[in-house]
Amino acid sequence: KAIAKTMSLDFSIVVASRHELLTQLKAGKVDVILALAYSSQRDEYADFSVPYSSMRHVIFVRKNGRKIATFEDLTSKTFITIRKGVTEDFARDKLWLRSLVLVDSIEQALLLLASGKHDGVIALRTTGLIALEKFKIENVEVSPFEMTGGVVTMRFAVKAGDSELLSDLNEG
């Protein structure tokens, strides 16, 4: 809101799933996605602002469950992540996982894990911690295992070619 006000931009906020927002951006139905991580796949249809925030991928595990201590542990376990998100891209491109289960929301992922299904959830730390609190999931925690290359920078995204709006956002 502050950037829009400073730059005298008219706006309305659309609340939708990440997949729906990406579909709407491609179709020209929305002008800006406020928080989107860069990926080479997304670069085909979106242009990105300078980064304004960083988040880290982590692994959520069940408390008192099988621990993840080494990179080799990643290749022998089954993980859950969100379909068509930057975390799926990260998991497929960087982690070389044996098995990846895709779901539509962080809530689904964490509830599956909490119920005893699969070995972990790969998600952005902040998103996962907020969901644990919101849905009162008490038997899941962040694994102390550090994943290399798991930092994601958040940016504004506009439809590819909208250089004027992108310039306004970068200046704001």
Side-chain angles (χ1 to χ4, degrees):
K1 289 180 180 180
I3 291 172
K5 183 178 179 182
T6 300
M7 302 301 293
S8 300
L9 299 172
D10 290 328
F11 74 95
S12 61
I13 295 176
V14 175
V15 179
S17 71
R18 176 87 44 207
H19 176 68
E20 180 60 26
L21 287 173
L22 292 172
T23 300
Q24 289 183 25
L25 181 70
K26 289 178 199 176
K29 294 180 180 176
V30 298
D31 297 313
V32 179
I33 296 179
L34 300 180
L36 193 65
Y38 173 86
S39 73
S40 57
Q41 295 88 346
R42 292 174 177 170
D43 193 41
E44 295 175 12
Y45 55 83
D47 290 336
F48 292 86
S49 71
V50 296
Y52 63 82
S53 176
S54 295
M55 290 193 236
R56 197 166 49 100
H57 282 106
V58 296
I59 300 173
F60 289 87
V61 294
R62 280 183 296 282
K63 293 178 181 176
N64 303 318
R66 296 180 1 201
K67 299 299 177 197
I68 297 166
T70 67
F71 181 77
E72 288 73 31
D73 289 341
L74 295 177
T75 62
S76 65
K77 295 187 179 352
T78 301
F79 292 92
I80 310 162
T81 196
I82 300 168
R83 177 185 341 278
K84 297 188 181 187
V86 69
T87 306
E88 179 186 0
D89 296 342
F90 172 75
R92 291 192 187 286
D93 294 346
K94 307 278 190 217
L95 298 180
W96 306 281
L97 300 174
R98 176 180 65 86
S99 182
L100 194 59
V101 175
L102 302 176
V103 296
D104 294 320
S105 70
I106 188 66
E107 176 188 10
Q108 280 181 300
L110 292 170
L111 288 172
L112 268 174
L113 180 65
S115 74
K117 304 271 196 275
H118 312 294
D119 298 301
V121 170
I122 299 171
L124 294 173
R125 178 182 175 84
T126 304
T127 304
L129 290 174
I130 290 169
L132 288 178
E133 186 175 320
K134 179 178 180 181
F135 300 110
K136 299 179 180 11
I137 301 170
E138 297 180 1
N139 67 329
V140 172
E141 65 186 354
V142 175
S143 169
F145 178 77
E146 291 279 334
M147 291 192 291
T148 306
V151 176
V152 174
T153 56
M154 301 309 287
R155 305 160 188 249
F156 296 111
V158 301
K159 188 171 181 178
D162 194 344
S163 56
E164 184 176 338
L165 179 55
L166 185 61
S167 177
D168 287 346
L169 293 169
N170 280 329
E171 289 177 20

